[in-house]
Amino acid sequence: MMDTIPTEFEVLDERFAVISGDDRVEVLHTGTRWAEGPVYFPAGRFLVWSDIPNERMLRWDEMTGAVGPFRQPSGYTNGNTIDREGRLISCEQGNRRVTRTEHDGSITVIADRWQGRRLNSPNDVVVRSDGSIWFTDPPYGIISNYEGVAAEQEIDGCHVYRADPVTGEVRIVADDFVRPNGLAFSLDERLLYVADTRARHIRVFEVGEDGALGAGRVFAEGGEQDKFDGLRLDETGRVWAAAGRAVLCHDPDGTLIGRLRLPEYTANLVFGGLKRNRLFIAASSSLYSLMTNVTGARPVWAVR
């Protein structure tokens, strides 16, 4: 029988009162050292996520509930997403690169250097509907051997990058972050949200037609325990963020309207299931799931 824990929604604003779900959160798996990067594959009805310190990726089967290995070694993979062709895009902290897993299982390197210098350790990634790949690059994977391979930082600073879908050019789009982490586009892709874990806030930028970002502004400030990590949007444009021992929900105007409390430190999340109303959360040693009355934003492969 599957383990469960009580669902703890905290309503901070009446706009969150309409959100509900199962009375209990499912614990789909436990036993990871640091769970990260959940990504749901609707065609196969399975979810893949990362266990960074154990240098492996795991796979959960929605039809059977079985959990097994997906990839090991994984290059200390952190964040994952899917591109428009249904291929896995991953941030390999240990290999200091962003890769694409082709349909035949082979791996293509999308980005591993900027102006000839090795990236720090790509952390999280998102794909825009034009095929461009955007990722953050803090140094967590090179600080020690725990989440990667200890090494010297070759690039001055921790930046947000864009890889061009045609030329493959990798360029910096934001260079004033302390520790850039999770990122997500607005529903119309005219805005990019980026979490800064060290600064404890989420910033939002206007995205130009040429892929350049505007100056940006602070979208949401975190509290003492709110070290923002992964981000996702629902179909109304609300921003859901993994932060501390909770998943936070922000209205599109930036107001924190509610929390889903959890017993472990959350790292990342994704909406999945056939109706995109099942919230999956990677948190410390466990993978959690909650069926909700919220529908996640349309994934990039569904945007036409």
Side-chain angles (χ1 to χ4, degrees):
M1 184 175 178
M2 184 179 298
D3 290 337
T4 64
I5 59 174
T7 301
E8 294 186 49
F9 281 125
E10 180 183 3
V11 178
L12 302 175
D13 183 286
E14 62 180 9
R15 287 170 286 185
F16 194 71
V18 300
I19 293 174
S20 63
D22 289 337
D23 290 336
R24 300 189 70 83
V25 176
E26 297 172 314
V27 185
L28 301 180
H29 179 77
T30 191
T32 58
R33 278 198 162 90
W34 181 242
E36 255 283 10
V39 56
Y40 181 80
F41 290 83
R45 297 193 66 176
F46 65 89
L47 180 135
V48 171
W49 80 103
S50 304
D51 179 6
I52 304 175
N54 283 326
E55 200 188 351
R56 63 177 179 169
M57 298 169 73
L58 298 172
R59 179 184 185 276
W60 171 79
D61 189 300
E62 187 173 22
M63 301 297 291
T64 66
V67 172
F70 177 80
R71 178 176 295 162
Q72 190 171 17
S74 66
Y76 295 94
T77 290
N78 189 330
N80 300 284
T81 193
I82 302 178
D83 71 3
R84 290 198 63 172
E85 284 70 49
R87 297 170 296 188
L88 174 67
I89 308 295
S90 301
C91 292
E92 300 180 14
Q93 288 193 161
N95 295 326
R96 303 170 73 169
R97 65 186 190 179
V98 178
T99 62
R100 180 177 64 237
T101 301
E102 308 295 348
H103 292 304
D104 64 4
S106 61
I107 293 178
T108 299
V109 177
I110 294 168
D112 62 356
R113 284 174 167 76
W114 175 73
Q115 295 188 349
R117 287 170 282 179
R118 296 189 71 186
L119 298 171
N120 297 328
S121 57
N123 184 284
D124 207 356
V125 60
V126 65
V127 179
R128 203 164 182 239
S129 60
D130 63 1
S132 57
I133 296 173
W134 304 61
F135 62 94
T136 54
D137 190 41
Y140 300 124
I142 59 175
I143 290 175
S144 71
N145 291 317
Y146 184 71
E147 289 190 50
V149 180
E152 293 296 321
Q153 191 168 329
E154 297 183 17
I155 296 173
D156 184 17
C158 303
H159 310 312
V160 182
Y161 294 83
R162 176 187 184 272
D164 189 273
V166 177
T167 67
E169 176 195 13
V170 177
R171 62 184 171 101
I172 294 173
V173 291
D175 61 1
D176 58 349
F177 280 84
V178 184
R179 291 289 186 268
N181 203 315
L183 67 174
F185 284 106
S186 62
L187 302 182
D188 60 8
E189 299 188 324
R190 295 179 179 176
L191 300 174
L192 178 67
Y193 299 92
V194 185
D196 192 322
T197 303
R198 183 73 63 82
R200 296 183 180 176
H201 62 215
I202 300 170
R203 292 168 63 191
V204 61
F205 301 82
E206 291 187 1
V207 184
E209 293 186 4
D210 60 352
L213 297 184
R217 60 179 173 81
V218 173
F219 170 76
E221 294 273 11
E224 184 64 26
Q225 301 299 319
D226 298 335
K227 293 184 178 181
F228 292 111
D229 201 323
L231 307 176
R232 290 292 186 274
L233 270 68
D234 65 27
E235 67 174 2
T236 71
R238 290 177 294 231
V239 178
W240 295 73
R245 295 179 184 268
V247 172
L248 311 183
C249 181
H250 293 83
D251 188 79
D253 69 6
T255 304
L256 176 61
I257 60 174
R259 291 187 178 93
L260 170 62
R261 293 195 175 276
L262 290 165
E264 299 185 89
Y265 286 99
T266 60
N268 221 317
L269 62 149
V270 69
F271 287 98
L274 293 182
K275 297 180 180 179
R276 301 197 309 277
N277 64 341
R278 190 169 186 174
L279 180 61
F280 296 94
I281 306 154
S284 302
S285 68
S286 305
L287 176 70
Y288 297 94
S289 170
L290 178 68
M291 194 74 76
T292 73
N293 66 346
V294 175
T295 302
R298 295 178 68 192
V300 67
W301 48 261
V303 177
R304 290 292 183 269

